PDB file of all heavy atoms in Angstrom:
ATOM      1  N   THR A  14     -95.703  42.191 -14.887  1.00  0.00           N
ATOM      2  CA  THR A  14     -95.985  41.120 -15.787  1.00  0.00           C
ATOM      3  C   THR A  14     -97.432  40.691 -15.729  1.00  0.00           C
ATOM      4  O   THR A  14     -98.148  41.054 -14.766  1.00  0.00           O
ATOM      5  CB  THR A  14     -95.014  39.919 -15.430  1.00  0.00           C
ATOM      6  OG1 THR A  14     -95.538  39.389 -14.185  1.00  0.00           O
ATOM      7  CG2 THR A  14     -93.626  40.324 -15.262  1.00  0.00           C
ATOM      8  N   ASP A  15     -97.788  39.913 -16.823  1.00  0.00           N
ATOM      9  CA  ASP A  15     -99.112  39.342 -16.791  1.00  0.00           C
ATOM     10  C   ASP A  15     -99.448  38.560 -15.466  1.00  0.00           C
ATOM     11  O   ASP A  15    -100.456  38.628 -14.873  1.00  0.00           O
ATOM     12  CB  ASP A  15     -99.308  38.390 -18.003  1.00  0.00           C
ATOM     13  CG  ASP A  15     -99.384  39.142 -19.317  1.00  0.00           C
ATOM     14  OD1 ASP A  15     -99.191  40.356 -19.286  1.00  0.00           O
ATOM     15  OD2 ASP A  15     -99.487  38.485 -20.380  1.00  0.00           O
ATOM     16  N   ALA A  16     -98.459  37.753 -15.093  1.00  0.00           N
ATOM     17  CA  ALA A  16     -98.582  36.952 -13.863  1.00  0.00           C
ATOM     18  C   ALA A  16     -98.809  37.744 -12.644  1.00  0.00           C
ATOM     19  O   ALA A  16     -99.589  37.455 -11.774  1.00  0.00           O
ATOM     20  CB  ALA A  16     -97.448  36.042 -13.692  1.00  0.00           C
ATOM     21  N   GLN A  17     -98.113  38.865 -12.571  1.00  0.00           N
ATOM     22  CA  GLN A  17     -98.199  39.764 -11.372  1.00  0.00           C
ATOM     23  C   GLN A  17     -99.558  40.383 -11.313  1.00  0.00           C
ATOM     24  O   GLN A  17    -100.154  40.526 -10.369  1.00  0.00           O
ATOM     25  CB  GLN A  17     -97.118  40.826 -11.416  1.00  0.00           C
ATOM     26  CG  GLN A  17     -95.756  40.300 -11.024  1.00  0.00           C
ATOM     27  CD  GLN A  17     -94.589  41.264 -11.272  1.00  0.00           C
ATOM     28  OE1 GLN A  17     -94.599  42.009 -12.220  1.00  0.00           O
ATOM     29  NE2 GLN A  17     -93.714  41.364 -10.262  1.00  0.00           N
ATOM     30  N   MET A  18    -100.030  40.865 -12.612  1.00  0.00           N
ATOM     31  CA  MET A  18    -101.361  41.483 -12.560  1.00  0.00           C
ATOM     32  C   MET A  18    -102.437  40.435 -12.157  1.00  0.00           C
ATOM     33  O   MET A  18    -103.342  40.810 -11.458  1.00  0.00           O
ATOM     34  CB  MET A  18    -101.719  41.951 -13.997  1.00  0.00           C
ATOM     35  CG  MET A  18    -100.751  43.159 -14.418  1.00  0.00           C
ATOM     36  SD  MET A  18    -101.238  43.693 -16.105  1.00  0.00           S
ATOM     37  CE  MET A  18     -99.971  44.883 -16.434  1.00  0.00           C
ATOM     38  N   ALA A  19    -102.291  39.209 -12.632  1.00  0.00           N
ATOM     39  CA  ALA A  19    -103.267  38.209 -12.313  1.00  0.00           C
ATOM     40  C   ALA A  19    -103.302  37.885 -10.738  1.00  0.00           C
ATOM     41  O   ALA A  19    -104.294  37.705 -10.142  1.00  0.00           O
ATOM     42  CB  ALA A  19    -102.972  36.957 -13.062  1.00  0.00           C
ATOM     43  N   ALA A  20    -102.081  37.826 -10.213  1.00  0.00           N
ATOM     44  CA  ALA A  20    -101.929  37.666  -8.788  1.00  0.00           C
ATOM     45  C   ALA A  20    -102.589  38.821  -8.070  1.00  0.00           C
ATOM     46  O   ALA A  20    -103.160  38.539  -6.915  1.00  0.00           O
ATOM     47  CB  ALA A  20    -100.455  37.448  -8.435  1.00  0.00           C
ATOM     48  N   VAL A  21    -102.357  40.015  -8.405  1.00  0.00           N
ATOM     49  CA  VAL A  21    -102.949  41.122  -7.614  1.00  0.00           C
ATOM     50  C   VAL A  21    -104.499  41.029  -7.793  1.00  0.00           C
ATOM     51  O   VAL A  21    -105.169  41.292  -6.729  1.00  0.00           O
ATOM     52  CB  VAL A  21    -102.430  42.395  -8.192  1.00  0.00           C
ATOM     53  CG1 VAL A  21    -103.199  43.622  -7.601  1.00  0.00           C
ATOM     54  CG2 VAL A  21    -100.914  42.671  -7.934  1.00  0.00           C
ATOM     55  N   ALA A  22    -104.952  40.685  -8.922  1.00  0.00           N
ATOM     56  CA  ALA A  22    -106.458  40.667  -9.087  1.00  0.00           C
ATOM     57  C   ALA A  22    -106.998  39.511  -8.191  1.00  0.00           C
ATOM     58  O   ALA A  22    -108.140  39.616  -7.637  1.00  0.00           O
ATOM     59  CB  ALA A  22    -106.809  40.306 -10.557  1.00  0.00           C
ATOM     60  N   SER A  23    -106.282  38.378  -8.094  1.00  0.00           N
ATOM     61  CA  SER A  23    -106.685  37.322  -7.298  1.00  0.00           C
ATOM     62  C   SER A  23    -106.686  37.745  -5.727  1.00  0.00           C
ATOM     63  O   SER A  23    -107.606  37.410  -4.950  1.00  0.00           O
ATOM     64  CB  SER A  23    -105.929  36.076  -7.512  1.00  0.00           C
ATOM     65  OG  SER A  23    -106.252  34.987  -6.562  1.00  0.00           O
ATOM     66  N   TRP A  24    -105.648  38.439  -5.407  1.00  0.00           N
ATOM     67  CA  TRP A  24    -105.519  38.943  -4.019  1.00  0.00           C
ATOM     68  C   TRP A  24    -106.606  39.970  -3.662  1.00  0.00           C
ATOM     69  O   TRP A  24    -107.095  39.860  -2.510  1.00  0.00           O
ATOM     70  CB  TRP A  24    -104.066  39.604  -3.947  1.00  0.00           C
ATOM     71  CG  TRP A  24    -103.824  40.255  -2.544  1.00  0.00           C
ATOM     72  CD1 TRP A  24    -103.645  39.707  -1.429  1.00  0.00           C
ATOM     73  CD2 TRP A  24    -103.710  41.674  -2.424  1.00  0.00           C
ATOM     74  NE1 TRP A  24    -103.488  40.593  -0.453  1.00  0.00           N
ATOM     75  CE2 TRP A  24    -103.448  41.788  -1.028  1.00  0.00           C
ATOM     76  CE3 TRP A  24    -103.729  42.754  -3.238  1.00  0.00           C
ATOM     77  CZ2 TRP A  24    -103.284  43.117  -0.490  1.00  0.00           C
ATOM     78  CZ3 TRP A  24    -103.467  44.018  -2.789  1.00  0.00           C
ATOM     79  CH2 TRP A  24    -103.253  44.168  -1.414  1.00  0.00           C
ATOM     80  N   THR A  25    -106.885  40.929  -4.494  1.00  0.00           N
ATOM     81  CA  THR A  25    -107.899  41.930  -4.070  1.00  0.00           C
ATOM     82  C   THR A  25    -109.227  41.251  -3.907  1.00  0.00           C
ATOM     83  O   THR A  25    -110.089  41.780  -3.029  1.00  0.00           O
ATOM     84  CB  THR A  25    -107.975  43.009  -5.170  1.00  0.00           C
ATOM     85  OG1 THR A  25    -108.575  42.602  -6.339  1.00  0.00           O
ATOM     86  CG2 THR A  25    -106.722  43.808  -5.308  1.00  0.00           C
ATOM     87  N   ASN A  26    -109.553  40.240  -4.765  1.00  0.00           N
ATOM     88  CA  ASN A  26    -110.757  39.471  -4.656  1.00  0.00           C
ATOM     89  C   ASN A  26    -111.989  40.360  -4.977  1.00  0.00           C
ATOM     90  O   ASN A  26    -113.040  39.960  -4.484  1.00  0.00           O
ATOM     91  CB  ASN A  26    -110.859  38.780  -3.327  1.00  0.00           C
ATOM     92  CG  ASN A  26    -111.837  37.598  -3.362  1.00  0.00           C
ATOM     93  OD1 ASN A  26    -111.896  36.915  -4.406  1.00  0.00           O
ATOM     94  ND2 ASN A  26    -112.512  37.340  -2.216  1.00  0.00           N
ATOM     95  N   LEU A  27    -111.812  41.379  -5.696  1.00  0.00           N
ATOM     96  CA  LEU A  27    -112.884  42.174  -6.153  1.00  0.00           C
ATOM     97  C   LEU A  27    -113.289  41.643  -7.566  1.00  0.00           C
ATOM     98  O   LEU A  27    -112.640  40.821  -8.196  1.00  0.00           O
ATOM     99  CB  LEU A  27    -112.579  43.673  -6.349  1.00  0.00           C
ATOM    100  CG  LEU A  27    -112.108  44.330  -5.080  1.00  0.00           C
ATOM    101  CD1 LEU A  27    -111.584  45.691  -5.277  1.00  0.00           C
ATOM    102  CD2 LEU A  27    -113.340  44.480  -4.100  1.00  0.00           C
ATOM    103  N   SER A  28    -114.547  41.966  -7.982  1.00  0.00           N
ATOM    104  CA  SER A  28    -114.972  41.495  -9.314  1.00  0.00           C
ATOM    105  C   SER A  28    -114.061  41.831 -10.345  1.00  0.00           C
ATOM    106  O   SER A  28    -113.839  41.087 -11.305  1.00  0.00           O
ATOM    107  CB  SER A  28    -116.401  41.930  -9.619  1.00  0.00           C
ATOM    108  OG  SER A  28    -116.551  43.389  -9.589  1.00  0.00           O
ATOM    109  N   GLU A  29    -113.414  43.122 -10.281  1.00  0.00           N
ATOM    110  CA  GLU A  29    -112.331  43.398 -11.260  1.00  0.00           C
ATOM    111  C   GLU A  29    -111.347  44.304 -10.573  1.00  0.00           C
ATOM    112  O   GLU A  29    -111.598  45.050  -9.718  1.00  0.00           O
ATOM    113  CB  GLU A  29    -112.982  44.241 -12.435  1.00  0.00           C
ATOM    114  CG  GLU A  29    -113.592  43.335 -13.584  1.00  0.00           C
ATOM    115  CD  GLU A  29    -115.048  43.333 -13.450  1.00  0.00           C
ATOM    116  OE1 GLU A  29    -115.651  44.058 -12.511  1.00  0.00           O
ATOM    117  OE2 GLU A  29    -115.722  42.586 -14.295  1.00  0.00           O
ATOM    118  N   THR A  30    -110.068  44.121 -11.101  1.00  0.00           N
ATOM    119  CA  THR A  30    -108.941  44.928 -10.718  1.00  0.00           C
ATOM    120  C   THR A  30    -108.335  45.373 -12.024  1.00  0.00           C
ATOM    121  O   THR A  30    -108.206  44.703 -13.057  1.00  0.00           O
ATOM    122  CB  THR A  30    -107.906  44.161  -9.889  1.00  0.00           C
ATOM    123  OG1 THR A  30    -108.509  43.731  -8.690  1.00  0.00           O
ATOM    124  CG2 THR A  30    -106.611  44.996  -9.610  1.00  0.00           C
ATOM    125  N   THR A  31    -107.999  46.641 -12.150  1.00  0.00           N
ATOM    126  CA  THR A  31    -107.495  47.220 -13.363  1.00  0.00           C
ATOM    127  C   THR A  31    -106.004  47.808 -13.210  1.00  0.00           C
ATOM    128  O   THR A  31    -105.552  48.053 -12.062  1.00  0.00           O
ATOM    129  CB  THR A  31    -108.390  48.371 -13.972  1.00  0.00           C
ATOM    130  OG1 THR A  31    -108.261  49.438 -13.066  1.00  0.00           O
ATOM    131  CG2 THR A  31    -109.819  47.893 -14.051  1.00  0.00           C
ATOM    132  N   PHE A  32    -105.406  47.882 -14.400  1.00  0.00           N
ATOM    133  CA  PHE A  32    -104.034  48.397 -14.477  1.00  0.00           C
ATOM    134  C   PHE A  32    -103.897  49.362 -15.468  1.00  0.00           C
ATOM    135  O   PHE A  32    -104.162  49.160 -16.650  1.00  0.00           O
ATOM    136  CB  PHE A  32    -103.001  47.210 -14.656  1.00  0.00           C
ATOM    137  CG  PHE A  32    -103.195  46.072 -13.670  1.00  0.00           C
ATOM    138  CD1 PHE A  32    -104.061  45.166 -13.761  1.00  0.00           C
ATOM    139  CD2 PHE A  32    -102.230  46.092 -12.549  1.00  0.00           C
ATOM    140  CE1 PHE A  32    -104.262  44.121 -12.730  1.00  0.00           C
ATOM    141  CE2 PHE A  32    -102.419  45.142 -11.502  1.00  0.00           C
ATOM    142  CZ  PHE A  32    -103.372  44.116 -11.632  1.00  0.00           C
ATOM    143  N   LEU A  33    -103.485  50.655 -15.040  1.00  0.00           N
ATOM    144  CA  LEU A  33    -103.303  51.718 -15.973  1.00  0.00           C
ATOM    145  C   LEU A  33    -101.980  51.653 -16.584  1.00  0.00           C
ATOM    146  O   LEU A  33    -100.907  51.617 -15.815  1.00  0.00           O
ATOM    147  CB  LEU A  33    -103.562  53.054 -15.177  1.00  0.00           C
ATOM    148  CG  LEU A  33    -105.012  53.447 -14.756  1.00  0.00           C
ATOM    149  CD1 LEU A  33    -104.978  54.507 -13.675  1.00  0.00           C
ATOM    150  CD2 LEU A  33    -105.841  53.789 -15.950  1.00  0.00           C
ATOM    151  N   LEU A  34    -101.880  51.863 -17.914  1.00  0.00           N
ATOM    152  CA  LEU A  34    -100.619  51.726 -18.583  1.00  0.00           C
ATOM    153  C   LEU A  34    -100.510  52.873 -19.593  1.00  0.00           C
ATOM    154  O   LEU A  34    -101.537  53.500 -20.019  1.00  0.00           O
ATOM    155  CB  LEU A  34    -100.354  50.419 -19.324  1.00  0.00           C
ATOM    156  CG  LEU A  34    -100.527  49.156 -18.434  1.00  0.00           C
ATOM    157  CD1 LEU A  34    -101.878  48.549 -18.612  1.00  0.00           C
ATOM    158  CD2 LEU A  34     -99.406  48.108 -18.726  1.00  0.00           C
ATOM    159  N   ALA A  35     -99.337  53.110 -20.098  1.00  0.00           N
ATOM    160  CA  ALA A  35     -99.101  54.046 -21.220  1.00  0.00           C
ATOM    161  C   ALA A  35     -99.925  53.530 -22.500  1.00  0.00           C
ATOM    162  O   ALA A  35     -99.794  52.329 -22.770  1.00  0.00           O
ATOM    163  CB  ALA A  35     -97.663  54.297 -21.551  1.00  0.00           C
ATOM    164  N   PRO A  36    -100.557  54.371 -23.243  1.00  0.00           N
ATOM    165  CA  PRO A  36    -101.247  53.902 -24.352  1.00  0.00           C
ATOM    166  C   PRO A  36    -100.350  53.575 -25.537  1.00  0.00           C
ATOM    167  O   PRO A  36     -99.098  54.047 -25.603  1.00  0.00           O
ATOM    168  CB  PRO A  36    -102.119  55.220 -24.796  1.00  0.00           C
ATOM    169  CG  PRO A  36    -101.338  56.357 -24.237  1.00  0.00           C
ATOM    170  CD  PRO A  36    -100.685  55.831 -23.004  1.00  0.00           C
ATOM    171  N   THR A  37    -100.752  52.664 -26.453  1.00  0.00           N
ATOM    172  CA  THR A  37    -100.102  52.341 -27.629  1.00  0.00           C
ATOM    173  C   THR A  37    -100.680  53.056 -28.844  1.00  0.00           C
ATOM    174  O   THR A  37    -100.113  53.070 -29.911  1.00  0.00           O
ATOM    175  CB  THR A  37     -99.992  50.834 -27.853  1.00  0.00           C
ATOM    176  OG1 THR A  37    -101.271  50.298 -27.962  1.00  0.00           O
ATOM    177  CG2 THR A  37     -99.323  50.075 -26.630  1.00  0.00           C
ATOM    178  N   ASP A  38    -101.870  53.440 -28.740  1.00  0.00           N
ATOM    179  CA  ASP A  38    -102.642  54.186 -29.694  1.00  0.00           C
ATOM    180  C   ASP A  38    -102.598  55.691 -29.380  1.00  0.00           C
ATOM    181  O   ASP A  38    -102.945  56.104 -28.387  1.00  0.00           O
ATOM    182  CB  ASP A  38    -104.108  53.730 -29.740  1.00  0.00           C
ATOM    183  CG  ASP A  38    -104.856  54.149 -30.974  1.00  0.00           C
ATOM    184  OD1 ASP A  38    -104.687  55.413 -31.245  1.00  0.00           O
ATOM    185  OD2 ASP A  38    -105.725  53.488 -31.547  1.00  0.00           O
ATOM    186  N   PRO A  39    -102.072  56.455 -30.447  1.00  0.00           N
ATOM    187  CA  PRO A  39    -101.944  57.895 -30.182  1.00  0.00           C
ATOM    188  C   PRO A  39    -103.237  58.637 -29.969  1.00  0.00           C
ATOM    189  O   PRO A  39    -103.355  59.722 -29.315  1.00  0.00           O
ATOM    190  CB  PRO A  39    -101.280  58.418 -31.441  1.00  0.00           C
ATOM    191  CG  PRO A  39    -101.574  57.410 -32.498  1.00  0.00           C
ATOM    192  CD  PRO A  39    -101.597  56.114 -31.713  1.00  0.00           C
ATOM    193  N   ALA A  40    -104.336  58.004 -30.199  1.00  0.00           N
ATOM    194  CA  ALA A  40    -105.696  58.650 -29.956  1.00  0.00           C
ATOM    195  C   ALA A  40    -106.177  58.347 -28.593  1.00  0.00           C
ATOM    196  O   ALA A  40    -107.159  59.011 -28.142  1.00  0.00           O
ATOM    197  CB  ALA A  40    -106.762  58.077 -30.935  1.00  0.00           C
ATOM    198  N   ALA A  41    -105.412  57.607 -27.772  1.00  0.00           N
ATOM    199  CA  ALA A  41    -105.883  57.228 -26.424  1.00  0.00           C
ATOM    200  C   ALA A  41    -105.079  58.004 -25.388  1.00  0.00           C
ATOM    201  O   ALA A  41    -103.924  58.413 -25.559  1.00  0.00           O
ATOM    202  CB  ALA A  41    -105.696  55.781 -26.129  1.00  0.00           C
ATOM    203  N   ASP A  42    -105.767  58.361 -24.229  1.00  0.00           N
ATOM    204  CA  ASP A  42    -105.069  59.009 -23.002  1.00  0.00           C
ATOM    205  C   ASP A  42    -104.358  57.954 -22.256  1.00  0.00           C
ATOM    206  O   ASP A  42    -103.316  58.315 -21.582  1.00  0.00           O
ATOM    207  CB  ASP A  42    -106.026  59.666 -22.254  1.00  0.00           C
ATOM    208  CG  ASP A  42    -106.715  60.883 -23.049  1.00  0.00           C
ATOM    209  OD1 ASP A  42    -105.866  61.784 -23.343  1.00  0.00           O
ATOM    210  OD2 ASP A  42    -107.865  60.837 -23.296  1.00  0.00           O
ATOM    211  N   TYR A  43    -104.915  56.657 -22.147  1.00  0.00           N
ATOM    212  CA  TYR A  43    -104.176  55.645 -21.236  1.00  0.00           C
ATOM    213  C   TYR A  43    -104.707  54.302 -21.770  1.00  0.00           C
ATOM    214  O   TYR A  43    -105.661  54.193 -22.553  1.00  0.00           O
ATOM    215  CB  TYR A  43    -104.504  55.839 -19.847  1.00  0.00           C
ATOM    216  CG  TYR A  43    -105.933  55.799 -19.460  1.00  0.00           C
ATOM    217  CD1 TYR A  43    -106.700  54.721 -19.289  1.00  0.00           C
ATOM    218  CD2 TYR A  43    -106.653  57.101 -19.352  1.00  0.00           C
ATOM    219  CE1 TYR A  43    -107.982  54.666 -19.029  1.00  0.00           C
ATOM    220  CE2 TYR A  43    -108.036  57.100 -19.009  1.00  0.00           C
ATOM    221  CZ  TYR A  43    -108.719  55.868 -18.883  1.00  0.00           C
ATOM    222  OH  TYR A  43    -110.081  55.900 -18.581  1.00  0.00           O
ATOM    223  N   ARG A  44    -103.986  53.237 -21.428  1.00  0.00           N
ATOM    224  CA  ARG A  44    -104.406  51.934 -21.799  1.00  0.00           C
ATOM    225  C   ARG A  44    -104.811  51.184 -20.498  1.00  0.00           C
ATOM    226  O   ARG A  44    -104.215  51.426 -19.432  1.00  0.00           O
ATOM    227  CB  ARG A  44    -103.259  51.231 -22.449  1.00  0.00           C
ATOM    228  CG  ARG A  44    -103.580  49.787 -22.895  1.00  0.00           C
ATOM    229  CD  ARG A  44    -102.520  49.327 -23.975  1.00  0.00           C
ATOM    230  NE  ARG A  44    -101.253  49.251 -23.421  1.00  0.00           N
ATOM    231  CZ  ARG A  44    -100.651  48.102 -22.965  1.00  0.00           C
ATOM    232  NH1 ARG A  44    -101.301  46.947 -23.031  1.00  0.00           N
ATOM    233  NH2 ARG A  44     -99.326  48.058 -22.536  1.00  0.00           N
ATOM    234  N   LEU A  45    -105.803  50.329 -20.526  1.00  0.00           N
ATOM    235  CA  LEU A  45    -106.243  49.700 -19.431  1.00  0.00           C
ATOM    236  C   LEU A  45    -106.334  48.195 -19.612  1.00  0.00           C
ATOM    237  O   LEU A  45    -106.777  47.736 -20.616  1.00  0.00           O
ATOM    238  CB  LEU A  45    -107.754  50.270 -19.104  1.00  0.00           C
ATOM    239  CG  LEU A  45    -108.246  49.873 -17.737  1.00  0.00           C
ATOM    240  CD1 LEU A  45    -107.538  50.646 -16.579  1.00  0.00           C
ATOM    241  CD2 LEU A  45    -109.722  50.097 -17.661  1.00  0.00           C
ATOM    242  N   ARG A  46    -105.845  47.528 -18.610  1.00  0.00           N
ATOM    243  CA  ARG A  46    -105.995  46.039 -18.576  1.00  0.00           C
ATOM    244  C   ARG A  46    -106.970  45.611 -17.407  1.00  0.00           C
ATOM    245  O   ARG A  46    -106.804  46.180 -16.340  1.00  0.00           O
ATOM    246  CB  ARG A  46    -104.718  45.323 -18.561  1.00  0.00           C
ATOM    247  CG  ARG A  46    -103.857  45.504 -19.784  1.00  0.00           C
ATOM    248  CD  ARG A  46    -102.545  44.688 -19.784  1.00  0.00           C
ATOM    249  NE  ARG A  46    -102.855  43.333 -19.874  1.00  0.00           N
ATOM    250  CZ  ARG A  46    -101.844  42.396 -19.885  1.00  0.00           C
ATOM    251  NH1 ARG A  46    -100.555  42.819 -19.908  1.00  0.00           N
ATOM    252  NH2 ARG A  46    -102.181  41.085 -19.920  1.00  0.00           N
ATOM    253  N   ILE A  47    -107.808  44.730 -17.628  1.00  0.00           N
ATOM    254  CA  ILE A  47    -108.919  44.414 -16.664  1.00  0.00           C
ATOM    255  C   ILE A  47    -108.900  42.970 -16.350  1.00  0.00           C
ATOM    256  O   ILE A  47    -108.940  42.099 -17.254  1.00  0.00           O
ATOM    257  CB  ILE A  47    -110.206  44.798 -17.335  1.00  0.00           C
ATOM    258  CG1 ILE A  47    -110.239  46.253 -17.797  1.00  0.00           C
ATOM    259  CG2 ILE A  47    -111.435  44.568 -16.325  1.00  0.00           C
ATOM    260  CD1 ILE A  47    -111.449  46.611 -18.736  1.00  0.00           C
ATOM    261  N   PHE A  48    -108.735  42.713 -15.154  1.00  0.00           N
ATOM    262  CA  PHE A  48    -108.695  41.306 -14.587  1.00  0.00           C
ATOM    263  C   PHE A  48    -109.779  40.994 -13.623  1.00  0.00           C
ATOM    264  O   PHE A  48    -110.023  41.800 -12.778  1.00  0.00           O
ATOM    265  CB  PHE A  48    -107.321  41.029 -14.026  1.00  0.00           C
ATOM    266  CG  PHE A  48    -106.225  40.923 -14.823  1.00  0.00           C
ATOM    267  CD1 PHE A  48    -105.619  42.050 -15.440  1.00  0.00           C
ATOM    268  CD2 PHE A  48    -105.692  39.623 -15.203  1.00  0.00           C
ATOM    269  CE1 PHE A  48    -104.534  41.912 -16.294  1.00  0.00           C
ATOM    270  CE2 PHE A  48    -104.600  39.541 -16.045  1.00  0.00           C
ATOM    271  CZ  PHE A  48    -104.001  40.753 -16.596  1.00  0.00           C
ATOM    272  N   THR A  49    -110.419  39.805 -13.667  1.00  0.00           N
ATOM    273  CA  THR A  49    -111.270  39.299 -12.630  1.00  0.00           C
ATOM    274  C   THR A  49    -110.389  38.424 -11.746  1.00  0.00           C
ATOM    275  O   THR A  49    -109.239  38.248 -12.061  1.00  0.00           O
ATOM    276  CB  THR A  49    -112.461  38.479 -13.192  1.00  0.00           C
ATOM    277  OG1 THR A  49    -111.851  37.089 -13.548  1.00  0.00           O
ATOM    278  CG2 THR A  49    -113.113  39.116 -14.402  1.00  0.00           C
ATOM    279  N   PRO A  50    -110.887  37.884 -10.779  1.00  0.00           N
ATOM    280  CA  PRO A  50    -109.979  37.018  -9.960  1.00  0.00           C
ATOM    281  C   PRO A  50    -109.465  35.774 -10.622  1.00  0.00           C
ATOM    282  O   PRO A  50    -108.506  35.126 -10.328  1.00  0.00           O
ATOM    283  CB  PRO A  50    -110.887  36.531  -8.771  1.00  0.00           C
ATOM    284  CG  PRO A  50    -111.878  37.634  -8.589  1.00  0.00           C
ATOM    285  CD  PRO A  50    -112.079  38.146  -9.918  1.00  0.00           C
TER     286      PRO A  50
END
């Protein structure tokens, strides 16, 4: 969930934490969500 992603990003405490997901656009190989703390 969004809340879980945000919690992991806060926990790693790096400038960014990313999450690899299946793409929704057929032209893409993967989808990426990017969180700061």
Side-chain angles (χ1 to χ4, degrees):
T14 66
D15 292 0
Q17 288 173 317
M18 292 182 189
V21 172
S23 176
W24 171 71
T25 67
N26 201 33
L27 296 174
S28 56
E29 280 101 3
T30 298
T31 68
F32 300 84
L33 289 164
L34 305 100
T37 61
D38 189 318
D42 292 296
Y43 57 84
R44 183 162 62 98
L45 194 70
R46 294 185 66 180
I47 305 166
F48 287 77
T49 77

